[in-house]
Structures are given as C-alpha cells and as structure tokens.
Amino acid sequence: MKKLLGLLVIISTAAFSRELTLESAIDLALENGKTIKTSELSKENAELNVKRAFKTALPKVTYNGKYEKAEHTTRNMIIGDLEEAKFKSGYTQTIGIYQPLFKGGAITGGIIGAKASKNIADIFLLSEKRDVRLDIISVYSSIINYEKDLTVLESSMKELQARYNKQAEQLNLRLLTKADLLKTEYSILDLEAQITGTKTNLEIAKKDLKLKLMIPTNETLTLKEFQVPENLTAGIDFDRDLNQALTNSLSSRLASNKVDYAEAERMVARSSLLPEVEAFGTYGTAGEKRDFEDGFDNAEWRGGIAVKWDVFKFGSDLDQYNVAKNSEKIENINKDLTSDDIKLSVTRDYKELIRLQQLRDSRSKALEAARENLAIDTERYNTGLISTVDFLLSESQYRQAAVDYNSAVLNYFVAFEKYRSALI
C-alpha cells in the first residue's frame, strides 16, 4: 500500500511539472501567445479584403423587387370595348447584371490599398513574433540569472553559517571577541535579505513566464541552463547589418507599405471628383406603368450604359482629396524618420553589445581576482593574520563578483539578441 501511494505521489508530481529549454519556451510562446493569435486574425482579414478589392472590378447580379400599396385606385384604362380593373396594390421586379467600366481609379486604388494593408498585417505578425521571441529570451535569461545568483548566495550562506558556528565555539573558549561574532551575524542577516529578495524575484519571473506561455500556475517549472558563446560579435559586419536594416527590416518595409496605402487612399479620394460609368442589362417589370397590374407576362429586357457624376458637392470631395494628399506626404516624411530611427537604434544596440562584451570580460577578471583573494584571506584568517572584518569583506567581494559576472554574461546574450532583432 505504501509503495502504491508513493507511486501515485511520483506520478502526480510529474504531471504537474514541466522542463523547458530556451528553444521550447520560445516555440510555446509563439504557439500560444494571445497577441500573435490576434495578429494572425488581422492578417486573415487583410487577405479577405484583397479578394474583396479584386471582386469590385467584376460584374454583379442584382435583384430588385418592390411591392406597393396605394391610397387610391388607379384610373380606369379603356382599351377598345374593355375596361381594365382598378387596383390599389401591385409589384415590380427586375434582375440585372452590372459591370463597372470606369470609376475614376477607385477600383485600382482599392486593390493597391488592400495589398498594402495585407503587407502591413504580415509585417505586424512578423514583428509580434520577433518581439515575443525577444521577450521570452529576456524573461528566461532573468530566471537563469536569479537561479545562478541564488546558488552563489546559498553557498555563501552555508559557509558563513559554518564559520559562525566555529566562531561561537571560539567565543566560549575566549579565542575571539563578541564583536567578531556580531559582525559575522550581521553578514548572515544581510545575506538572508539578499536571498529572500532573489527568491522573490525568481518567483515573480517564473509566474510571468507561465503567463506568457499559457502554463497553469500550479505546474512546477524547471528551466534548463544554456551556454552563452564567448564571442558573439565575431561574425558581425556593422555596415552590412545597417544597410540590411535600412532596406529590408520590418520597420523599413512597414514604412514603405504605409506610403503605398496612403497613395491608394489618394487615388480613391481622387475618384470622387470623376464620373462613374457602368454597363447594365436588366430583365423585369420596372418600367413606368399607369397601374399596378404588372407581371412577367409584360416583362422586358433593357440594357445600356449608365453615367453618374456628382458635379457639385460644395467642395467636400475636393477637401477629401486634399486630406488624402497631405496624408501621403506625412507617410513619406515618416518613412524618412523611420530610416533615421533605424540608424540610431541599430548603432545604439551595437555599441551596447560591445560595451557589455567588454563588461563581461572585466567582470570575469574581477571574479577570478576575488576568488583568489578569498582563498588567500581564508588561509590568513584561519592563522589569525587578518581580522574578522577583513575576512568578511573579502567574502562579500567574492560573492558580489560572482553575482555581477552572472548578470554580465546574460545581459550580454540578451543584448546580442536585441541587436539581431533590430535587423529583422
């Protein structure tokens, strides 16, 4: 029975635990992200709008039916010796086919605008995926960083606690003073506060990651550590990357398509100043009658060309056209501003990447020096050559150097991914 209960506990624990790698976390975010799903639906709508825009150039079939009831009967109509009956109600109906021949560029503008809108939706979806990927990398890296810091702090706590116990024995033997013991006790309490803060940050970061990945909060999450390459900047050609970002990045393509969309809007606005021409053919009973007695017995075919032109509208259509022209100019200006922003952001991200690489190297040396110094000071303290204060300072410096190095490595990795994202 005990074995069965133990097996059930193991199965239950496994069912509510999950192990993730950085790659699997990114894949899960791309699969379950709510913002990505909304972008996918927007893309689907944009594709449907392109189909709608093309269909406006095709003929349409329209049925018109009308039933009327009048207050008075119609006048008598005498044909020969027959007198037609009086009617107070009746109906007319037609079915027709209509083919637009000229709409002042509205159809072409609509198609161009729909294509530009589709491209914008595609770019937004790719941008969302890029941003989600970078966000997961940042959160995942912060969790790994907190876990590494916690390992360093707990290891330091274990050593300090052992040192404190030994000092308590030495105090009983009057081999050191109460002040020395209090200094170690203070260091332990300070370290406990750091551990508590790190655990809190770790817990919050894991909850954040679970929300982004749509993982139930009751699941235990284990993240596998990843290796950060030594020299991420080795294959970077800044000039080539900058040119790539200016010509083919998502930001530059978005700006270009916004210009195309504004141009299409101007074409549509211009069409309101021009006449509309369409060919039509109808069959039915829509002709003028002196009574309501209509039916398909006297239906007829009609066809021809129809022209519609709003000749005067107090200039509202011209105002609309001028607004569209100004909007196109605005998007062209925004396109230039986007190029400036790309140059600035890519340059800033590259410089930050170089700085963090140098910082990581310096933190690595600082950690190496602090480790050596702690080993020496531990030996000197054990032989009574240095005070408790000096030893605790050395231990604190080593601990901080380890924490700083962990942070520098992961910040360096995130900065590299941010630089890469700026080029996409």
Side-chain angles (χ1 to χ4, degrees):
M1 185 65 179
K2 289 183 178 179
K3 290 183 178 180
L4 179 60
L5 289 174
L7 181 60
L8 290 175
V9 169
I10 292 173
I11 293 174
S12 176
T13 303
F16 290 97
S17 64
R18 187 185 302 228
E19 184 178 72
L20 291 176
T21 63
L22 178 58
E23 292 75 15
S24 63
I26 292 172
D27 292 340
L28 200 59
L30 294 177
E31 180 182 350
N32 296 335
K34 292 182 180 179
T35 54
I36 290 179
K37 289 181 179 179
T38 59
S39 295
E40 287 174 343
L41 290 173
S42 297
K43 176 185 176 182
E44 184 178 340
N45 285 343
E47 291 171 349
L48 292 173
N49 285 332
V50 172
K51 293 180 181 179
R52 288 177 54 200
F54 274 103
K55 290 174 182 177
T56 58
L58 302 177
K60 64 179 179 180
V61 177
T62 303
Y63 169 80
N64 288 308
K66 180 172 67 175
Y67 175 81
E68 292 181 312
K69 191 172 182 65
E71 181 181 0
H72 303 289
T73 58
T74 58
R75 294 181 180 182
N76 293 340
M77 295 180 62
I78 300 176
I79 304 176
D81 296 332
L82 300 176
E83 181 179 293
E84 288 194 2
K86 300 175 181 180
F87 295 95
K88 280 191 174 183
S89 62
Y91 70 91
T92 60
Q93 56 184 341
T94 61
I95 187 168
I97 183 169
Y98 303 86
Q99 172 63 56
L101 301 178
F102 177 75
K103 297 194 74 173
I107 294 176
T108 303
I111 292 173
I112 294 174
K115 285 183 176 180
S117 182
K118 175 185 175 299
N119 292 337
I120 290 172
D122 291 341
I123 292 169
F124 274 134
L125 176 58
L126 292 174
S127 298
E128 191 63 42
K129 289 182 176 180
R130 176 200 62 190
D131 295 343
V132 165
R133 178 181 178 276
L134 185 60
D135 188 32
I136 295 301
I137 288 173
S138 179
V139 176
Y140 193 103
S141 298
S142 68
I143 293 173
I144 297 296
N145 189 28
Y146 290 137
E147 289 178 341
K148 285 187 170 185
D149 289 350
L150 196 58
T151 299
V152 171
L153 296 175
E154 289 179 340
S155 175
S156 183
M157 173 63 78
K158 184 177 180 181
E159 293 179 5
L160 276 181
Q161 192 65 53
R163 181 69 58 183
Y164 178 80
N165 294 335
K166 184 177 180 180
Q167 287 178 339
E169 294 176 1
Q170 291 175 329
L171 179 62
N172 292 332
L173 299 174
R174 300 181 181 276
L175 297 177
L176 51 75
T177 65
K178 180 68 173 178
D180 290 329
L181 189 65
L182 290 175
K183 290 167 186 174
T184 304
E185 187 175 347
Y186 163 77
S187 295
I188 290 174
L189 293 173
D190 183 62
L191 187 53
E192 283 180 349
Q194 292 183 50
I195 290 174
T196 300
T198 303
K199 285 182 176 179
T200 300
N201 292 334
L202 178 59
E203 181 183 355
I204 292 173
K206 281 194 173 183
K207 285 184 178 180
D208 186 24
L209 185 62
K210 286 179 182 179
L211 289 173
K212 294 178 186 299
L213 303 184
M214 303 294 289
I215 294 175
T217 55
N218 61 337
E219 283 194 25
T220 301
L221 199 59
T222 303
L223 304 187
K224 295 188 70 174
E225 189 179 342
F226 56 88
Q227 291 298 119
V228 178
E230 283 293 321
N231 192 3
L232 293 171
T233 61
I236 291 180
D237 184 334
F238 176 74
D239 292 333
R240 180 195 63 197
D241 289 347
L242 181 58
N243 183 64
Q244 158 75 15
L246 288 171
T247 56
N248 202 36
S249 67
L250 294 177
S251 297
S252 65
R253 287 161 55 192
L254 179 62
S256 296
N257 278 281
K258 284 185 176 181
V259 171
D260 293 341
Y261 184 82
E263 181 183 358
E265 289 285 289
R266 178 181 56 78
M267 292 176 64
V268 173
R270 181 176 176 272
S271 69
S272 64
L273 303 173
L274 301 173
E276 298 180 10
V277 182
E278 68 177 4
F280 70 92
T282 63
Y283 179 75
T285 59
E288 293 293 332
K289 299 293 181 181
R290 294 182 61 188
D291 58 55
F292 290 123
E293 190 183 12
D294 267 340
F296 271 102
D297 291 337
N298 56 4
E300 62 180 347
W301 284 101
R302 292 188 178 194
I305 302 293
V307 178
K308 178 186 176 183
W309 193 355
D310 294 329
V311 178
F312 180 71
K313 293 174 65 177
F314 293 95
S316 63
D317 44 5
L318 183 60
D319 292 338
Q320 181 182 356
Y321 175 66
N322 288 329
V323 168
K325 279 204 308 182
N326 288 337
S327 297
E328 185 181 5
K329 292 177 182 178
I330 290 171
E331 292 303 335
N332 276 296
I333 294 172
N334 287 337
K335 183 180 179 182
D336 294 335
L337 291 174
T338 298
S339 295
D340 295 337
D341 290 341
I342 290 173
K343 291 177 184 177
L344 183 62
S345 62
V346 172
T347 303
R348 181 181 60 243
D349 292 343
Y350 177 71
K351 296 295 185 182
E352 179 66 5
L353 176 60
I354 297 299
R355 184 189 74 83
L356 287 173
Q357 179 172 277
Q358 294 170 344
L359 182 63
R360 182 210 55 185
D361 294 340
S362 68
R363 292 281 170 83
S364 176
K365 293 297 182 182
L367 177 59
E368 184 180 352
R371 185 184 295 113
E372 284 292 323
N373 189 57
L374 177 61
I376 294 171
D377 282 353
T378 300
E379 194 172 321
R380 294 169 66 191
Y381 177 75
N382 290 335
T383 58
L385 295 177
I386 61 173
S387 67
T388 300
V389 173
D390 292 333
F391 169 76
L392 292 175
L393 178 61
S394 180
E395 192 279 332
S396 176
Q397 288 174 342
Y398 167 73
R399 184 199 320 147
Q400 190 60 47
V403 169
D404 290 344
Y405 175 71
N406 292 337
S407 177
V409 170
L410 291 170
N411 286 341
Y412 171 58
F413 174 70
V414 173
F416 174 71
E417 292 296 337
K418 185 178 179 182
Y419 174 74
R420 288 179 61 194
S421 297
L423 308 180
I424 298 174

